Amino acid sequence: MKKRNSGNKHEKKYQYGTKDRRNNLFKNISLIIVSILIVCGVAFYLKNINNLNLQKGEANNQLIEDNNDKDTSEKNINQEETKKEPVKKEIIISVAGDFTLGTDTKFAYNSSLPAAFINSGKNYSYFMQNVSDIFTKDDYTLVNLETTFTDSDVKIPKEGEIFYNFKGPKEYVNILTNASVDGVTIANNHIYDYGKQGINDTINTLKENNIDICGEGYQILKEIQGVKFGFLGYTGWEYSNGLKTKIVTDINELRNKGAEVIIPYFHWGIEKSYEPYEVQQNLARFAIDNGANAVIGSHPHVIQSMENYKGKLIAYSMGNFCFGGNSNPPDKRTFILQVKANMEDNKVVDFEYKVIPTMISSRNDRNDYIPTLATGENKINILNTLNELSPTLNGNIKDEFFKLNLK
């Protein structure tokens, strides 16, 4: 009985030992699994951290590259802007003298301009046939309209024993338009020859036919190839404070409206005199001192000297041109003056000038009212005369574009 009891006890003890080992094994395995999970979790975390840092680094690098690309692009744009060439252009203005498109009833009809017009078959292109090509090819043409276009028969009395009242029919405006004349100055001693009706008829006729007007309260502000040009007209009999104030006011007004180039056209001087006198010189120089780019003049019925004043041109008298005021004037010389404005980005760089010698008639024995380009001895004579009269231009006046020396 004792031996059996002893075996049961041993058997029971073995059972307990086996159970403990199993528990320990389970604990060990659980610990290993937990450790593996912790190690894997740490590794996964570290890997994600590294990936985030890598992505952040790549993003920073991309941002740096983008900024570098932007800086390079901006630099290239700035370089392109620096290298951009200025826009250059040339604008040519033609100026001519007295257009007296009409007559005085005192004159013999058969030799008058109206008779020549009728004999041409009322051809509006007849008188300007030899010069209109020049006016067509330029950018703007300005002349002195020394007549009225009116139906009035009421002449205004004038001072002196000999005086003239000029007029032509309103249809004569087509002589201007057919010749590509763009603008006129009406500031002269004949615009009131037929009183208020005469000037009103003339102005209305010009406006109806799109001819620009300067003088007598009118200004021309014309945009040519994107550049604004201003033209003014004055009668300059006296160097008065009133006229000087008007000149300054008009020039400033045109500048404020954007005019890049301003040219006044004066009616002044002594008839048949080839030299300007003090009033002309003072007015012209005053206009330039106050902003004019050049000065043009007429009235003496002959050409006068030119002057280089502070590097700017004064043409004191253009002479006659298409002149119905005399059927056979002794001096038929005239010229077309061309002013070329050299522009960069719509700003004036400098000016060039060209004198085109012209005769007021296609024949020498009388006035047929057909201005014609001078040739041969007539051409040489006109250029030589202008150079002799104009010492400040140093003999440079010619029928090719030339520049003035700055003074």
Side-chain angles (χ1 to χ4, degrees):
M1 292 296 293
K2 286 184 180 179
K3 287 183 178 179
R4 186 179 296 156
N5 291 341
S6 177
N8 289 339
K9 185 177 179 181
H10 177 76
E11 196 174 300
K12 185 175 181 180
K13 185 177 178 180
Y14 174 78
Q15 290 173 352
Y16 283 122
T18 301
K19 185 176 181 180
D20 289 339
R21 285 195 296 273
R22 287 176 179 173
N23 290 336
N24 289 335
L25 179 62
F26 178 78
K27 288 179 179 179
N28 290 334
I29 292 172
S30 297
L31 182 61
I32 291 169
I33 291 172
V34 170
S35 298
I36 291 171
L37 291 174
I38 291 172
V39 170
C40 290
V42 171
F44 181 76
Y45 173 77
L46 293 175
K47 182 178 180 180
N48 285 340
I49 290 296
N50 288 333
N51 287 339
L52 287 173
N53 289 334
L54 181 61
Q55 291 174 359
K56 184 176 180 181
E58 290 176 350
N60 288 334
N61 290 336
Q62 184 63 44
L63 180 60
I64 292 171
E65 290 177 2
D66 289 344
N67 288 334
N68 288 337
D69 290 342
K70 182 179 180 182
D71 292 340
T72 302
S73 177
E74 290 177 351
K75 185 177 180 180
N76 290 337
I77 291 173
N78 290 334
Q79 289 177 345
E80 289 177 2
E81 290 177 350
T82 302
K83 294 178 181 178
K84 185 180 178 182
E85 292 293 328
V87 177
K88 297 181 179 181
K89 65 181 73 172
E90 297 176 349
I91 300 175
I92 296 178
I93 308 299
S94 297
V95 184
D98 300 340
F99 275 59
T100 303
L101 304 179
T103 190
D104 188 303
T105 55
K106 298 186 183 77
F107 298 161
Y109 174 78
N110 290 338
S111 58
S112 69
L113 184 146
F117 175 69
I118 296 298
N119 293 335
S120 74
K122 295 187 176 182
N123 181 358
Y124 296 117
S125 300
Y126 173 73
F127 296 119
M128 306 300 291
Q129 58 185 289
N130 293 335
V131 293
S132 60
D133 188 53
I134 293 173
F135 299 155
T136 300
K137 291 179 180 179
D138 65 15
D139 293 289
Y140 197 86
T141 303
L142 180 71
V143 305
N144 173 43
L145 181 63
E146 195 157 13
T147 190
T148 56
F149 295 142
T150 183
D151 299 324
S152 174
D153 292 322
V154 182
K155 295 181 179 182
I156 298 300
K158 298 183 177 182
E159 295 180 358
E161 295 181 2
I162 300 176
F163 58 87
Y164 304 103
N165 297 77
F166 294 137
K167 76 166 183 174
K170 295 176 183 178
E171 64 178 308
Y172 280 12
V173 71
N174 294 303
I175 298 171
L176 299 175
T177 57
N178 280 27
S180 192
V181 172
D182 302 289
V184 299
T185 173
I186 59 172
N188 55 63
N189 57 315
H190 287 285
I191 193 61
Y192 289 100
D193 280 1
Y194 284 80
K196 289 184 179 180
Q197 181 181 342
I199 187 172
N200 289 338
D201 286 346
T202 304
I203 289 171
N204 291 335
T205 300
L206 292 169
K207 287 181 176 180
E208 289 167 3
N209 289 273
N210 299 314
I211 301 290
D212 299 328
I213 305 169
C214 64
E216 298 301 321
Y218 289 86
Q219 300 175 349
I220 296 174
L221 182 63
K222 191 75 172 181
E223 185 169 307
I224 305 170
Q225 292 191 45
V227 180
K228 290 183 179 180
F229 282 69
F231 302 98
L232 300 167
Y234 304 100
T235 50
W237 312 124
E238 296 179 353
Y239 186 58
S240 65
N241 290 332
L243 180 54
K244 289 191 290 182
T245 299
K246 176 65 173 169
I247 292 169
V248 172
T249 300
D250 289 345
I251 290 175
N252 289 338
E253 186 175 334
L254 286 177
R255 288 290 183 210
N256 291 335
K257 291 179 179 178
E260 183 69 19
V261 178
I262 298 175
I263 302 176
Y265 198 141
F266 285 88
H267 203 75
W268 54 14
I270 300 171
E271 291 190 10
K272 299 180 182 179
S273 173
Y274 294 93
E275 298 277 359
Y277 77 119
E278 188 178 36
V279 169
Q280 292 171 268
Q281 293 170 329
N282 289 340
L283 285 173
R285 295 167 184 172
F286 179 83
I288 288 175
D289 287 338
N290 285 277
N293 297 98
V295 173
I296 310 298
S298 68
H299 176 67
H301 299 298
V302 293
I303 57 177
Q304 286 188 337
S305 60
M306 294 182 172
E307 181 181 354
N308 177 358
Y309 179 70
K310 297 183 177 179
K312 297 180 180 179
L313 185 69
I314 303 169
Y316 282 106
S317 177
M318 303 294 299
N320 298 321
F321 201 76
C322 187
F323 187 60
N326 192 326
S327 61
N328 193 20
D331 192 340
K332 298 179 178 66
R333 296 174 299 176
T334 185
F335 62 96
I336 299 167
L337 175 65
Q338 290 196 316
V339 180
K340 179 166 70 174
N342 295 312
M343 317 293 295
E344 287 188 5
D345 294 332
N346 290 343
K347 297 295 181 182
V348 175
V349 176
D350 56 27
F351 294 95
E352 296 179 54
Y353 308 93
K354 180 180 182 180
V355 168
I356 304 176
T358 309
M359 304 297 288
I360 69 169
S361 174
S362 67
R363 50 193 298 169
N364 291 324
D365 61 329
R366 64 179 178 85
N367 187 5
D368 62 7
Y369 313 105
I370 303 174
T372 301
L373 301 186
T375 59
E377 292 184 4
N378 285 335
K379 176 180 177 179
I380 295 171
N381 178 272
I382 292 170
L383 291 174
N384 286 345
T385 298
L386 282 172
N387 277 305
E388 290 170 4
L389 291 170
S390 312
T392 61
L393 273 83
N394 301 316
N396 290 324
I397 298 172
K398 52 189 174 182
D399 59 345
E400 298 174 354
F401 280 108
F402 60 91
K403 293 183 179 181
L404 299 182
N405 296 324
L406 296 178
K407 288 194 171 186

